[in-house]
Amino acid sequence: MKNEQTAVIKDMEFLLNELHKEWERPGEVKSSVSIPYEKVEEISRKVRGGQGRNCGRGS
């Protein structure tokens, strides 16, 4: 049991250190998506209709 706890603590320390490295990285984070042509109209309608709301999440 103690070995498992030690392993979990070491894993968490490693992950926390990785997170701190990411936070220290300069620059803007950019993302992109690809939308199939067939879905553009449907997605555009949802985006226009969902402004100021949850944009369809949970519905």
Side-chain angles (χ1 to χ4, degrees):
M1 183 72 168
K2 185 70 172 175
N3 288 339
E4 289 176 21
Q5 289 175 340
T6 302
V8 169
I9 290 170
K10 287 184 184 229
D11 287 345
M12 293 300 290
E13 288 173 347
F14 170 77
L15 292 172
L16 191 57
N17 285 332
E18 292 296 307
L19 183 58
H20 282 273
K21 286 181 198 174
E22 285 297 315
W23 284 340
E24 292 170 359
R25 291 173 71 189
E28 186 177 320
V29 175
K30 296 181 181 182
S31 298
S32 62
V33 297
S34 296
I35 300 172
Y37 182 76
E38 298 81 24
K39 296 281 187 176
V40 170
E41 187 176 327
E42 174 186 351
I43 293 170
S44 293
R45 268 196 318 269
K46 287 183 179 182
V47 169
R48 282 192 307 265
Q51 291 176 352
R53 289 183 282 170
N54 223 1
C55 294
R57 291 187 197 131
S59 44

